[in-house]
Amino acid sequence: MSAPAIQRTVEEFRDACVAARAAGARLGFVPTMGALHAGHLRLVEVARRHADRVAVSIFVNPTQFGPNEDFARYPRNLERDVELLASAGADLVFAPADVTEVYPPGEQTRVTVAKLGDHLCGPFRPQHFQGVATVVAKLFAIAGPCTAVFGRKDYQQLKIIERMATDLLFPVKVVGEPTVRDADGLALSSRNAYLSADERVRALEIPRALAAAATSFENGERRAQALIVPVRTALTRAGLRLDYADVADPDQLSPFGSDGLVGERALIAVAGFSGTTRLIDNLVLGEDVAPRLAKVS
Ligand code: AMP
């Protein structure tokens, strides 16, 4: 497979996308922060199925990180990422040479999605979803894709992008793809690289707890508390420090109250720290396939 063309400026990337569209190609787009893994590459594959040409952005977006978060140490390895994208069949890679490409000097504009950001990760990461919606709006504006593919691993992000694309009238189809997991069930994440062996073992309690909730749901449990309390207990017992573990409406993202009953679909979403690494995971009960937990030696 030939190496994808790399664009380092907004102008180059816009020109390449305009040229692709002028040649009659449907453009697929996958925004990422790099440090690519099989989850990202799955999104590229899916974009391929929807489009004739696939563009991938690699940009560690400063506005979605809080002041005490891992922006500075977020893993960056453009050369390796481009090799992976070549074998995955990406055609264009936008890797801005400088933050000022995406945030021009004097910039003062942000995109806010009002309510979907109020729940789950929102209160723990103020400004995060505003940063995400802003950068994705900018990237959509540059690339003009027909289809953009996102992971359900970041379920709240996906819902916010869907809302933003609808509200701002972007002519793009937003596709959400199931979470890709390691053989032991842990959701792939660029941040897994931070985990020590012991922290990783503790992190495995997350897919285990989600799978147990799925079994309980399949067995007919619909009481919100009966679904979520065992998840909280298992994760805390494993030594994870939780930001939250909630059962929520899968469309509005608002958590169920203490005597709530869930419907035929319910989102279980978790954010917690194993050591100093913040991990998120989720499952839409009644919709997603539960994590498989094959033991690896
Ligand atoms: P990131 O580079 O972490 O910003 O992620 C870029 C895109 O990849 C987002 O749409 C994520 O939801 C998606 N993604 C990250 N991890 C996974 C995974 N394990 N499975 C599927 N998609 C993922």
Side-chain angles (χ1 to χ4, degrees):
M1 205 108 15
S2 63
I6 304 175
Q7 287 87 31
R8 306 291 293 185
T9 67
V10 166
E11 195 183 350
E12 281 169 16
F13 183 46
R14 183 180 282 127
D15 287 351
C17 293
V18 166
R21 285 197 306 274
R26 289 167 307 162
L27 189 66
F29 180 48
V30 179
T32 81
M33 297 205 299
L36 300 181
H37 51 64
H40 298 112
L41 301 180
R42 171 75 57 81
L43 306 187
V44 175
E45 262 175 49
V46 171
R48 273 243 78 93
R49 279 187 238 139
H50 286 266
D52 307 302
R53 309 269 283 165
V54 174
V56 177
S57 61
I58 296 179
F59 178 59
V60 184
N61 172 37
T63 63
Q64 70 187 71
F65 288 81
N68 300 316
E69 295 184 352
D70 56 343
F71 175 70
R73 71 166 181 146
Y74 197 85
R76 292 161 169 89
N77 191 340
L78 183 59
E79 208 175 307
R80 178 178 170 277
D81 286 347
V82 171
E83 276 170 27
L84 289 171
L85 290 174
S87 50
D91 301 290
L92 306 171
V93 177
F94 178 45
D98 193 87
V99 169
T100 56
E101 284 293 324
V102 180
Y103 293 93
E107 60 92 21
Q108 22 184 307
T109 304
R110 291 291 176 274
V111 176
T112 305
V113 177
K115 294 199 195 112
L116 290 170
D118 286 352
H119 310 293
L120 308 175
C121 283
F124 296 95
R125 303 189 76 190
Q127 317 297 323
H128 170 69
F129 290 116
Q130 188 184 73
V132 169
T134 300
V135 78
V136 172
K138 286 168 180 267
L139 293 166
F140 282 1
I142 307 167
C146 297
T147 303
V149 188
F150 294 82
R152 287 170 70 93
K153 152 95 172 17
D154 300 272
Y155 186 85
Q156 187 171 17
Q157 168 175 289
L158 170 65
K159 292 290 130 186
I160 286 172
I161 302 292
E162 286 174 348
R163 187 73 255 166
M164 184 272 290
T166 301
D167 291 351
L168 296 186
L169 313 177
F170 280 108
V172 59
K173 178 183 164 78
V174 174
V175 173
E177 275 301 298
T179 301
V180 178
R181 297 174 182 280
D182 253 330
D184 56 12
L186 188 65
L188 295 182
S189 163
S190 306
R191 290 189 169 99
N192 291 352
Y194 301 150
L195 296 170
S196 69
D198 174 59
E199 288 164 355
R200 195 189 152 95
V201 168
R202 276 185 274 153
L204 283 180
E205 202 55 51
I206 299 174
R208 253 185 236 134
L210 293 178
T215 304
S216 170
F217 183 84
E218 277 161 28
N219 291 337
E221 184 59 78
R222 293 293 181 273
R223 290 171 301 164
Q225 290 307 297
L227 287 166
I228 201 61
V229 170
V231 173
R232 287 187 192 133
T233 306
L235 298 183
T236 307
R237 199 171 282 155
L240 301 177
R241 185 168 59 78
L242 289 185
D243 270 353
Y244 63 85
D246 281 337
V247 59
D249 179 278
D251 303 310
Q252 306 307 321
L253 308 184
S254 43
F256 285 92
S258 55
D259 50 6
L261 287 181
V262 306
E264 287 315 297
R265 290 162 66 245
L267 169 67
I268 298 237
V270 169
F273 290 83
S274 188
T276 57
T277 303
R278 188 175 189 275
L279 300 170
I280 58 169
D281 204 343
N282 71 84
L283 203 61
V284 178
L285 305 174
E287 186 169 293
D288 287 335
V289 176
R292 279 184 295 131
L293 306 169
K295 282 229 172 346
V296 286
S297 51

